[in-house]
Amino acid sequence: MIAYIEGRVVETTEDGCVVATDGGVGYEVRLPGHTLSRLPDKGGAVRFFICTVVREDALELFGFETWDERETFLILTSINRVGARTAVAVLSVYRPDDLRRLTAQEDVLSLTRVPGIGKKTAQQLLLELKYKLKQGDLPTASAAKDRPSGLLADAVAGLANLGYDEDEALFVVKKILEDEPDLDVGGLLRASLKALAKARQ
């Protein structure tokens, strides 16, 4: 089973990229949205922890930046009716620590921000994650209250890298997420840049 890939990006796809190893073999890897949004240009070096998903009609590779994220993907896919695509959708919006926070706070509403997850599914996920995620890693509600979600943090970091003030970026990104909770990182960045540019006119 493939568990790790290191190589260079030779092509990008709608939901991942093709990684060529030094041995000349290319692997198509599906990625969470936050990882996809930060891929280097073609020829850039990448490394992913891999989870291999075998179905009757296909063999798919899912790539993650950290081992913790890979293990969380496995936990999510062990839950009844949660497939690999849904698990990736969850990890595109929330990092493992964010899921631990949501679980600790029993925050069903936030989990429904993941495309394709309704209230009933969110309740089922939180119930099972409560027992399957490492309890010792769960932050307390008070410690986690002010921690931005992975999606929020990625967008603010992206704007800060472009030279925007972090506090200003945080205010704008939060407001856009309240109005459009289903945006991915790319869409959130585009909307934020438009709002920031409009504010400075």
Side-chain angles (χ1 to χ4, degrees):
M1 179 182 291
I2 299 171
Y4 178 83
I5 286 177
E6 188 170 340
R8 298 188 178 278
V9 176
V10 294
E11 193 58 76
T12 57
T13 63
E14 183 179 351
D15 53 6
C17 67
V18 177
V19 181
T21 66
D22 289 341
V25 179
Y27 297 92
E28 183 174 356
V29 183
R30 299 184 185 278
L31 304 167
H34 65 86
T35 303
L36 185 61
S37 69
R38 295 203 302 270
L39 278 178
D41 295 331
K42 290 182 182 180
V46 290
R47 51 180 289 276
F48 301 119
F49 292 102
I50 298 294
C51 185
T52 305
V53 176
V54 180
R55 302 200 315 265
E56 288 185 4
D57 58 343
L59 185 152
E60 295 180 303
L61 304 181
F62 292 85
F64 307 97
E65 296 179 34
T66 66
W67 186 258
D68 187 23
E69 195 171 35
R70 179 187 183 274
E71 292 299 289
T72 304
F73 173 83
L74 290 173
I75 289 172
L76 287 167
T77 54
S78 73
I79 296 173
N80 188 35
R81 296 183 181 178
V82 177
R85 301 298 178 90
T86 300
V88 168
V90 172
L91 290 170
S92 291
V93 179
Y94 297 111
R95 304 293 181 83
D97 279 346
D98 298 320
L99 287 176
R100 296 183 180 107
R101 173 177 56 83
L102 295 183
T103 302
Q105 297 178 332
E106 298 182 357
D107 189 348
V108 173
L109 181 61
S110 290
L111 203 52
T112 61
R113 289 180 176 175
V114 178
I117 292 186
K119 185 176 180 180
K120 187 175 180 179
T121 302
Q123 289 173 331
Q124 177 193 355
L125 277 171
L126 288 182
L127 180 63
E128 298 211 32
L129 288 174
K130 183 176 181 179
Y131 297 100
K132 294 186 176 185
L133 282 176
K134 292 180 180 179
Q135 297 298 309
D137 293 338
L138 292 173
T140 63
S142 60
K145 182 184 289 186
D146 298 324
R147 181 186 296 175
S149 72
L151 182 67
L152 182 65
D154 284 343
V156 171
L159 293 170
N161 287 337
L162 293 173
Y164 289 94
D165 178 76
E166 284 194 17
D167 290 337
E168 181 184 15
L170 181 61
F171 175 80
V172 170
V173 171
K174 276 186 174 180
K175 188 173 189 312
I176 291 172
L177 266 181
E178 288 175 0
D179 297 334
E180 300 180 76
D182 293 335
L183 287 175
D184 59 13
V185 174
L188 184 55
L189 277 172
R190 287 190 292 272
S192 300
L193 285 168
K194 186 181 295 185
L196 286 165
K198 186 177 181 180
R200 296 186 177 186
Q201 287 178 352

